[in-house]
Amino acid sequence: MRRPDGTAARVLVVDDEPDLTEALAGALAYEHWDVRTAADGASALTTAEGFRPDAVVLDWMLPDLDGLQVLKALRRTLPHVCVLFLTARDAVEDRIAGITAGGDDYVTKPFSLEEVLARLRGLLRRAGMAREPADDVLRVGDLTMDEDAREVARAGVAVDLSRTEFELLRLLMHNPRRVLSKEQILDRVWSYDFGGRAHVVELYISYLRKKIDAGRTPLIHTVRGVGYVLKPDAP
């Protein structure tokens, strides 16, 4: 993700779960974001002051301050920063409290890393803080995806996908011609603490193939012993 001036968008990840923070930071860095992390509210505010992030992924429950306190302090120094709450609290009243306090979006745990990345991209685009591509519809060969409308088509024919199928295809389309291992796909598409095995990836790849490739030149390819790659049917 890039700023309008071409530099990498900056994101601060604030959470006291090391595994979660590491997973998110790794996924963001993989997508060329400039990432910093913090494990509590005080260090988050100190880091934000020097780092000046464009977006903050903020856990609601921290060891010292709660997410709302951190959000209010952030807004005083960075009034335009985009804030995505990330929390296990999924009651409607909690969502309302977070948004009312000035949060821009809300994702509950466990979560898909790819969904968090998509939410962050959307927040920065809507805030005018990220460079808009000439065409914001993803294209690989004759396959298209409108991320905001959540619409997919192959050769102009609409393809109906489940939420998980959509997230898996989105990951592949953001990485055309790049071979992704089953482990990378599990980390990015399924929840960060998902305990499943690689056969789940194989199953959903088969679902996608039936919907995307059936009766057409295949776009989804298996690289034996490595993983999967999405590449155009023409060189």
Side-chain angles (χ1 to χ4, degrees):
M1 177 61 83
R2 297 284 173 181
R3 291 170 158 182
D5 64 4
T7 59
R10 298 177 179 178
V11 59
L12 173 61
V13 179
V14 186
D15 199 289
D16 62 342
E17 295 182 48
D19 290 345
L20 183 155
T21 304
E22 181 180 355
L24 261 177
L28 288 159
Y30 186 75
E31 293 289 334
H32 308 294
W33 293 67
D34 188 356
V35 188
R36 298 289 186 279
T37 63
D40 56 56
S43 59
L45 295 175
T46 300
T47 301
E49 185 176 355
F51 182 50
R52 312 291 292 182
D54 302 302
V56 177
V57 179
L58 179 60
D59 186 27
W60 187 294
M61 302 182 71
L62 295 168
D64 49 359
L65 308 172
D66 66 35
L68 293 182
Q69 291 174 304
V70 175
L71 173 61
K72 290 175 183 177
L74 282 171
R75 289 284 185 228
R76 287 195 290 269
T77 56
L78 298 168
H80 302 298
V81 68
C82 297
V83 176
L84 173 66
F85 271 119
L86 191 66
T87 177
R89 302 178 63 165
D90 59 356
V92 172
E93 55 267 30
D94 292 329
R95 293 173 182 262
I96 293 173
I99 299 301
T100 301
D104 297 290
D105 206 346
Y106 197 114
V107 176
T108 56
K109 302 175 184 178
F111 58 86
S112 154
L113 291 175
E114 192 63 21
E115 180 183 4
V116 173
L117 290 172
R119 297 285 188 97
L120 285 172
R121 293 187 201 107
L123 287 178
L124 292 194
R125 284 200 301 267
R126 289 192 292 274
M129 298 168 66
R131 185 170 61 191
E132 290 284 355
D135 183 353
D136 57 4
V137 174
L138 298 175
R139 300 178 188 276
V140 177
D142 60 355
L143 179 67
T144 61
M145 172 182 284
D146 185 325
E147 294 182 273
D148 291 334
R150 299 187 72 82
E151 294 176 347
V152 174
R154 177 90 194 260
V157 179
V159 179
D160 184 29
L161 299 179
S162 70
R163 176 174 175 174
T164 301
E165 291 166 350
F166 184 90
E167 298 300 338
L168 174 55
L169 183 61
R170 189 205 318 252
L171 174 61
L172 294 171
M173 293 189 74
H174 271 282
N175 296 275
R177 300 183 183 275
R178 177 183 292 172
V179 179
L180 299 175
S181 70
K182 294 175 183 177
E183 291 74 18
Q184 287 175 315
I185 294 171
L186 275 173
D187 285 344
R188 293 285 296 277
V189 177
W190 277 264
S191 55
Y192 76 95
D193 59 352
F194 179 70
R197 299 182 183 275
H199 71 81
V200 175
V201 177
E202 297 170 4
L203 180 63
Y204 273 86
I205 286 289
S206 72
Y207 292 161
L208 273 186
R209 281 179 164 146
K210 290 176 182 177
K211 295 184 177 183
I212 299 298
D213 286 345
R216 305 180 177 96
T217 303
L219 291 177
I220 303 171
H221 302 271
T222 299
V223 179
R224 294 192 180 279
V226 183
Y228 302 96
V229 59
L230 184 76
K231 57 184 179 180
D233 52 7

